[in-house]
Amino acid sequence: MVKLPPTFTLLLFLAVALADSATEATIVSCLHDSGLEVDDPQSPDWQNATTPFNTKFHWIPAAIVYPRQASDVKNAVLCAVEHKVHVSALSGGHSYSASGYGSRDGALVVSFRNMRQISYYSSDNTVLVQPGIHLGDFALALYTKYRRAMAHGICPFVGLGGHVGFGGWGLSSRSWGLLIDQIEGAELVQANGNIIHVSATENPDLFWAIRGASSAYGIVTQYKMRTQKAPDSVIRFAFNFIDPDRSPDKFARVLSAYQDWSLTAPKEIGIVINVWQFGRTLEMTGYYLGNRTDFDPVAKSLLGATGQPNTTYMQERAWILALIEANGGTNLSTEGIPEPHDTFYAKSLTVSTKVPLAHDSFINLAKFFTSASVPNNFSWFIQFELWGGGNSAISSVHGNATAYPHRDHHWVCQFYGRSNGSWPSQGTAFVDGLVNAVTGMQAKDFGAYANYLDPYLAQWQEKYYADNYPHLSKIQQETDPSGVFLKAQNIGAAK
């Protein structure tokens, strides 16, 4: 290897730095000349604007633009194309890998903080909604203004655009479908700046692709979505199984029984099992879309399978109160509230109904977390989310009907480790160990859920998109051949 003289090395470094600075300056000038609201590295709010939800990952954009309409997004994309800068949309900024910031330094970030409008049409019970609205504000607006509801996640600060882009699961999804199943059309800004409409009859290939992999094909500036009549009330429940000794046998018995019972669970029940307090507590919680008379026999059959919990909570709750309780008591409104932050690493598994988790997998998981060393200032949880079973609306859709493929799966399992300080290297190994404790016990292929984005996931193309990936790749090559929207784990990316 040729060793460069120190003076030449310094000049080369300065040339690269000046080139990067020139790129930022030219694209920022283009954005300003287009009349757009822009933050750049000289802006006083730059540090706050570029701090992601997950502080484990931090990418530095060339600039952040704040559009107010689709034509602003078009002009931003054209500026990026002119200056050969990649583009990434940012709705709420809650990507698990800070993907909204481009998954690399130097991207143009299109933030939708100024595009949060929602309009309801009583003629067909649909809404037109912009992607920057947060899920908490979305749920409040639907209910307080129109007495409507939709199936979506419960974390109030999550942006609609990213959530719906890759599936969009919530406790009501077994009754009403994933959020992508409720889309009737969308407005899309493409890599060439064209603003098009996509639906089952207009640009159907792109309509298929954006329902599960949207960020690779353009920037969605508006969705048309079906809504449901909001329930007057639902039954909120929580059953806690507490074991201070963290017995692997007891842990496996409850989870195996829950899994067997849920294979025929009615679609009205939205339910998860959370593993809290380093494995000492299993919380079986959710809500039931119905009344207490209908719920009581369901609860009786569930607890007849799992055994009686240590604590029981069952209450009829108004719709909004049920959503607040389900997210841990946090207010749904995010107006005027500072964005929260966390430092974490998460992984997911999709588990097929045809090949459920083995009893030994649960035992091995418990043996791992009761014996493995946990870093200081570190906590973790596991969530077993029921997606399939019985007459679930999620499973009623074929795996190739949308870009999201995992329609025959029973659970999505989320493994989440967080640090109260800087991220410890042992934290990554611990979360990986939780997953390996499950997957190592059975010879089967597990998928993964792209809304729980794992930047270290090997073979992500197959894990996230299964047999749908080749067609998704073909559409990406046709609609964005220059890779304007290319970033890590977007369709078409090498990694």
Side-chain angles (χ1 to χ4, degrees), residues 359-410:
H359 184 82
D360 286 347
S361 293
F362 295 125
I363 289 180
N364 203 48
L365 174 60
K367 286 181 176 179
F368 173 81
F369 67 64
T370 55
S371 62
S373 176
V374 179
N376 293 329
N377 300 314
F378 186 86
S379 60
W380 57 270
F381 70 84
I382 306 170
Q383 188 169 73
F384 296 90
E385 305 164 354
L386 181 62
W387 287 44
N391 53 349
S392 169
I394 300 172
S395 306
S396 70
V397 178
H398 196 278
N400 63 12
T402 65
Y404 182 80
H406 302 300
R407 300 295 185 156
D408 66 342
H409 65 287
H410 190 62

Coordinates of all heavy atoms in Angstrom, one line a residue, residues 359-410:
H359 N -42.7 -25.3 22.9 CA -42.6 -25.1 24.4 C -41.1 -25.0 24.8 O -40.8 -24.1 25.6 CB -43.2 -26.3 25.1 CG -43.3 -26.2 26.5 ND1 -44.3 -25.5 27.2 CD2 -42.5 -26.7 27.5 CE1 -44.1 -25.6 28.5 NE2 -43.0 -26.3 28.7
D360 N -40.2 -25.8 24.2 CA -38.8 -25.7 24.5 C -38.2 -24.3 24.2 O -37.2 -23.9 24.8 CB -38.0 -26.8 23.9 CG -38.3 -28.2 24.5 OD1 -38.9 -28.2 25.6 OD2 -37.9 -29.2 23.9
S361 N -38.8 -23.7 23.2 CA -38.3 -22.3 22.8 C -38.5 -21.3 23.9 O -37.7 -20.5 24.2 CB -38.9 -21.8 21.5 OG -38.5 -22.6 20.4
F362 N -39.7 -21.4 24.5 CA -40.0 -20.6 25.7 C -39.1 -20.9 26.9 O -38.6 -19.9 27.6 CB -41.5 -20.7 26.1 CG -42.5 -20.3 25.0 CD1 -43.5 -21.1 24.6 CD2 -42.4 -19.0 24.5 CE1 -44.4 -20.7 23.6 CE2 -43.3 -18.6 23.5 CZ -44.3 -19.4 23.1
I363 N -38.9 -22.1 27.1 CA -38.0 -22.5 28.2 C -36.6 -22.0 28.0 O -35.9 -21.4 28.9 CB -38.0 -24.0 28.4 CG1 -39.3 -24.5 29.0 CG2 -36.8 -24.4 29.3 CD1 -39.4 -26.0 29.3
N364 N -36.1 -22.1 26.8 CA -34.7 -21.7 26.4 C -34.6 -20.2 26.5 O -33.6 -19.6 27.0 CB -34.4 -22.2 25.0 CG -32.9 -22.2 24.8 OD1 -32.2 -22.8 25.7 ND2 -32.4 -21.7 23.8
L365 N -35.7 -19.5 26.1 CA -35.7 -18.0 26.3 C -35.6 -17.6 27.7 O -34.7 -16.7 28.1 CB -37.0 -17.4 25.7 CG -37.2 -15.9 25.8 CD1 -36.1 -15.1 25.2 CD2 -38.6 -15.6 25.2
A366 N -36.4 -18.2 28.6 CA -36.3 -17.9 30.0 C -35.0 -18.3 30.6 O -34.4 -17.5 31.5 CB -37.4 -18.6 30.8
K367 N -34.4 -19.4 30.2 CA -33.1 -19.8 30.7 C -32.0 -18.7 30.3 O -31.1 -18.4 31.1 CB -32.7 -21.1 30.2 CG -33.5 -22.3 30.9 CD -33.0 -23.6 30.4 CE -33.7 -24.8 31.1 NZ -33.3 -26.1 30.6
F368 N -32.2 -18.2 29.1 CA -31.2 -17.2 28.7 C -31.3 -15.9 29.6 O -30.3 -15.5 30.1 CB -31.4 -16.8 27.2 CG -30.5 -15.7 26.8 CD1 -29.2 -15.9 26.5 CD2 -31.0 -14.4 26.8 CE1 -28.3 -14.9 26.1 CE2 -30.2 -13.3 26.4 CZ -28.8 -13.6 26.1
F369 N -32.5 -15.4 29.7 CA -32.6 -14.1 30.4 C -32.4 -14.2 31.9 O -32.2 -13.2 32.6 CB -33.8 -13.3 30.0 CG -35.2 -13.8 30.4 CD1 -35.5 -13.9 31.7 CD2 -36.1 -14.1 29.4 CE1 -36.8 -14.4 32.1 CE2 -37.4 -14.6 29.8 CZ -37.7 -14.7 31.1
T370 N -32.6 -15.4 32.4 CA -32.3 -15.6 33.9 C -30.8 -15.8 34.2 O -30.4 -15.7 35.3 CB -33.1 -16.7 34.5 OG1 -32.9 -17.9 33.7 CG2 -34.6 -16.4 34.5
S371 N -30.0 -16.1 33.2 CA -28.6 -16.4 33.4 C -27.6 -15.5 32.7 O -26.5 -15.3 33.2 CB -28.3 -17.8 32.9 OG -28.5 -17.9 31.5
A372 N -28.1 -14.7 31.7 CA -27.2 -13.8 31.0 C -26.9 -12.6 31.8 O -27.7 -12.1 32.6 CB -27.8 -13.4 29.6
S373 N -25.7 -12.1 31.6 CA -25.3 -10.8 32.3 C -26.0 -9.6 31.6 O -26.0 -9.5 30.4 CB -23.8 -10.7 32.2 OG -23.3 -9.5 32.7
V374 N -26.5 -8.8 32.4 CA -27.2 -7.6 31.9 C -26.4 -6.3 32.2 O -25.9 -6.2 33.3 CB -28.6 -7.4 32.5 CG1 -29.3 -6.1 32.0 CG2 -29.5 -8.6 32.3
P375 N -26.1 -5.5 31.2 CA -25.3 -4.3 31.4 C -25.9 -3.4 32.5 O -27.1 -3.4 32.7 CB -25.2 -3.6 30.0 CG -25.6 -4.7 29.1 CD -26.5 -5.6 29.8
N376 N -25.1 -2.5 33.0 CA -25.5 -1.5 34.0 C -26.4 -0.5 33.3 O -26.3 -0.2 32.1 CB -24.4 -0.8 34.6 CG -23.5 -1.7 35.5 OD1 -24.1 -2.6 36.1 ND2 -22.3 -1.4 35.6
N377 N -27.4 0.0 34.0 CA -28.3 1.0 33.5 C -29.1 0.6 32.2 O -29.3 1.3 31.3 CB -27.6 2.3 33.2 CG -26.9 2.9 34.4 OD1 -27.6 3.0 35.5 ND2 -25.7 3.3 34.3
F378 N -29.4 -0.7 32.2 CA -30.0 -1.4 31.0 C -31.3 -2.1 31.4 O -31.3 -2.7 32.5 CB -29.0 -2.4 30.4 CG -29.4 -3.0 29.1 CD1 -29.1 -2.3 27.9 CD2 -30.0 -4.2 29.1 CE1 -29.5 -2.9 26.7 CE2 -30.4 -4.8 27.9 CZ -30.2 -4.1 26.7
S379 N -32.3 -1.9 30.6 CA -33.5 -2.7 30.8 C -34.0 -3.3 29.5 O -33.5 -2.9 28.5 CB -34.6 -1.8 31.5 OG -34.9 -0.7 30.6
W380 N -35.0 -4.1 29.6 CA -35.5 -4.8 28.4 C -36.9 -5.2 28.6 O -37.4 -5.4 29.7 CB -34.6 -6.0 28.0 CG -34.4 -7.0 29.0 CD1 -33.5 -7.1 30.0 CD2 -35.3 -8.2 29.2 NE1 -33.7 -8.2 30.8 CE2 -34.8 -8.9 30.4 CE3 -36.4 -8.7 28.6 CZ2 -35.4 -10.0 30.8 CZ3 -37.0 -9.8 29.0 CH2 -36.5 -10.5 30.2
F381 N -37.6 -5.5 27.4 CA -38.9 -6.1 27.5 C -39.0 -6.9 26.2 O -38.4 -6.7 25.2 CB -40.0 -5.1 27.7 CG -40.3 -4.2 26.5 CD1 -41.1 -4.7 25.4 CD2 -39.8 -3.0 26.4 CE1 -41.4 -3.9 24.3 CE2 -40.0 -2.1 25.3 CZ -40.8 -2.6 24.3
I382 N -40.0 -7.9 26.3 CA -40.4 -8.7 25.1 C -41.9 -8.5 25.0 O -42.6 -8.5 26.0 CB -40.0 -10.2 25.3 CG1 -38.5 -10.3 25.6 CG2 -40.4 -10.9 24.0 CD1 -38.1 -11.7 26.0
Q383 N -42.3 -8.4 23.8 CA -43.8 -8.3 23.5 C -44.2 -9.4 22.5 O -43.6 -9.5 21.4 CB -44.1 -6.9 23.0 CG -45.6 -6.7 22.9 CD -45.9 -5.2 22.6 OE1 -45.7 -4.7 21.5 NE2 -46.4 -4.5 23.7
F384 N -45.2 -10.2 22.9 CA -45.8 -11.2 22.0 C -47.1 -10.7 21.5 O -48.1 -10.7 22.3 CB -45.9 -12.5 22.7 CG -44.6 -13.2 23.1 CD1 -44.1 -12.9 24.4 CD2 -43.9 -14.0 22.2 CE1 -42.9 -13.5 24.8 CE2 -42.7 -14.6 22.6 CZ -42.2 -14.3 23.9
E385 N -47.2 -10.1 20.3 CA -48.4 -9.5 19.7 C -49.2 -10.5 18.9 O -48.7 -11.1 18.0 CB -48.0 -8.3 18.8 CG -47.1 -7.3 19.5 CD -46.4 -6.4 18.5 OE1 -46.6 -6.6 17.3 OE2 -45.7 -5.4 18.9
L386 N -50.4 -10.6 19.3 CA -51.3 -11.5 18.5 C -51.8 -10.8 17.3 O -52.5 -9.9 17.3 CB -52.5 -12.0 19.4 CG -53.4 -13.0 18.7 CD1 -52.7 -14.3 18.3 CD2 -54.6 -13.3 19.6
W387 N -51.4 -11.4 16.1 CA -51.9 -10.8 14.8 C -52.9 -11.8 14.2 O -53.8 -11.4 13.6 CB -50.7 -10.7 13.9 CG -49.8 -9.5 14.2 CD1 -49.3 -9.1 15.4 CD2 -49.2 -8.6 13.3 NE1 -48.5 -8.0 15.3 CE2 -48.4 -7.7 14.0 CE3 -49.3 -8.4 11.9 CZ2 -47.7 -6.6 13.4 CZ3 -48.6 -7.4 11.3 CH2 -47.8 -6.5 12.1
G388 N -52.6 -13.1 14.2 CA -53.4 -14.1 13.5 C -54.4 -14.8 14.5 O -54.8 -14.2 15.5
G389 N -54.7 -16.0 14.2 CA -55.6 -16.8 15.0 C -57.1 -16.5 14.7 O -57.5 -15.4 14.4
G390 N -57.9 -17.5 14.9 CA -59.4 -17.4 14.7 C -59.7 -16.7 13.4 O -59.2 -17.1 12.3
N391 N -60.6 -15.7 13.4 CA -61.0 -15.1 12.2 C -60.4 -13.7 12.0 O -61.1 -12.7 11.6 CB -62.6 -15.0 12.2 CG -63.1 -14.3 13.5 OD1 -62.4 -14.1 14.4 ND2 -64.4 -14.0 13.5
S392 N -59.1 -13.6 12.3 CA -58.4 -12.3 12.3 C -58.5 -11.7 10.9 O -58.3 -12.4 9.8 CB -56.9 -12.5 12.6 OG -56.2 -11.4 12.3
A393 N -58.8 -10.4 10.8 CA -58.9 -9.7 9.6 C -57.5 -9.6 8.9 O -57.4 -9.5 7.7 CB -59.4 -8.3 9.8
I394 N -56.4 -9.6 9.7 CA -55.1 -9.6 9.1 C -54.8 -10.8 8.2 O -54.3 -10.7 7.1 CB -54.0 -9.5 10.2 CG1 -54.2 -8.2 11.1 CG2 -52.6 -9.5 9.6 CD1 -53.3 -8.1 12.3
S395 N -55.2 -11.9 8.8 CA -55.0 -13.2 8.1 C -55.9 -13.4 6.9 O -55.7 -14.3 6.1 CB -55.1 -14.4 9.0 OG -54.3 -14.2 10.2
S396 N -57.0 -12.7 6.8 CA -57.9 -12.9 5.7 C -57.4 -12.3 4.4 O -58.0 -12.6 3.3 CB -59.3 -12.2 6.1 OG -59.1 -10.8 6.1
V397 N -56.3 -11.5 4.4 CA -55.7 -11.0 3.2 C -54.6 -11.9 2.8 O -53.8 -12.3 3.6 CB -55.2 -9.5 3.5 CG1 -54.6 -8.9 2.3 CG2 -56.3 -8.6 4.0
H398 N -54.5 -12.1 1.4 CA -53.5 -13.0 0.9 C -52.1 -12.3 1.0 O -52.0 -11.1 1.0 CB -53.8 -13.3 -0.6 CG -53.0 -14.5 -1.1 ND1 -51.7 -14.3 -1.5 CD2 -53.3 -15.8 -1.2 CE1 -51.2 -15.5 -1.9 NE2 -52.1 -16.4 -1.7
G399 N -51.1 -13.1 1.2 CA -49.7 -12.6 1.3 C -49.2 -11.8 0.2 O -48.2 -11.0 0.4
N400 N -49.7 -11.9 -1.0 CA -49.3 -11.1 -2.1 C -50.3 -10.0 -2.5 O -50.1 -9.4 -3.6 CB -48.9 -12.0 -3.3 CG -50.1 -12.7 -3.9 OD1 -51.3 -12.5 -3.5 ND2 -49.9 -13.7 -4.8
A401 N -51.3 -9.8 -1.7 CA -52.3 -8.7 -2.0 C -51.7 -7.3 -1.8 O -52.2 -6.4 -2.4 CB -53.5 -9.0 -1.2
T402 N -50.8 -7.2 -0.9 CA -50.0 -6.0 -0.6 C -48.5 -6.3 -0.5 O -48.2 -7.5 -0.5 CB -50.5 -5.3 0.7 OG1 -50.1 -6.2 1.8 CG2 -52.0 -5.1 0.7
A403 N -47.7 -5.3 -0.4 CA -46.3 -5.5 -0.3 C -45.9 -6.3 1.0 O -44.9 -7.0 1.0 CB -45.5 -4.2 -0.4
Y404 N -46.7 -6.0 2.0 CA -46.5 -6.7 3.3 C -46.9 -8.2 3.2 O -48.1 -8.5 2.9 CB -47.2 -6.1 4.4 CG -47.0 -6.7 5.8 CD1 -45.8 -6.4 6.5 CD2 -47.8 -7.7 6.3 CE1 -45.5 -7.1 7.7 CE2 -47.5 -8.4 7.4 CZ -46.4 -8.1 8.1 OH -46.1 -8.7 9.3
P405 N -45.9 -9.1 3.4 CA -46.2 -10.5 3.0 C -46.7 -11.5 4.1 O -47.3 -12.5 3.8 CB -44.8 -11.0 2.5 CG -43.9 -10.3 3.5 CD -44.5 -8.9 3.7
H406 N -46.5 -11.1 5.4 CA -46.6 -12.1 6.5 C -48.1 -12.2 7.0 O -48.4 -11.9 8.1 CB -45.7 -11.7 7.6 CG -44.3 -11.7 7.2 ND1 -43.6 -12.7 6.7 CD2 -43.4 -10.6 7.3 CE1 -42.3 -12.4 6.5 NE2 -42.2 -11.1 6.8
R407 N -48.9 -12.7 6.1 CA -50.4 -12.7 6.5 C -50.7 -14.0 7.2 O -51.8 -14.1 7.8 CB -51.2 -12.6 5.2 CG -51.0 -11.3 4.5 CD -51.5 -10.1 5.3 NE -51.4 -8.8 4.6 CZ -52.1 -7.8 4.9 NH1 -53.0 -7.8 5.9 NH2 -52.0 -6.7 4.2
D408 N -49.9 -15.0 7.1 CA -50.2 -16.3 7.7 C -49.6 -16.5 9.1 O -49.6 -17.5 9.7 CB -49.8 -17.5 6.8 CG -48.2 -17.6 6.7 OD1 -47.6 -16.5 7.0 OD2 -47.7 -18.6 6.3
H409 N -49.0 -15.4 9.6 CA -48.3 -15.5 10.9 C -49.2 -15.3 12.0 O -50.2 -14.6 11.9 CB -47.1 -14.5 10.9 CG -47.4 -13.1 10.9 ND1 -47.8 -12.4 9.8 CD2 -47.4 -12.2 11.9 CE1 -48.0 -11.2 10.1 NE2 -47.8 -11.0 11.4
H410 N -48.9 -15.8 13.1 CA -49.7 -15.8 14.3 C -49.3 -14.7 15.2 O -50.1 -13.9 15.7 CB -49.6 -17.2 15.0 CG -50.6 -17.3 16.1 ND1 -51.9 -17.3 15.9 CD2 -50.4 -17.5 17.5 CE1 -52.5 -17.5 17.1 NE2 -51.6 -17.6 18.0

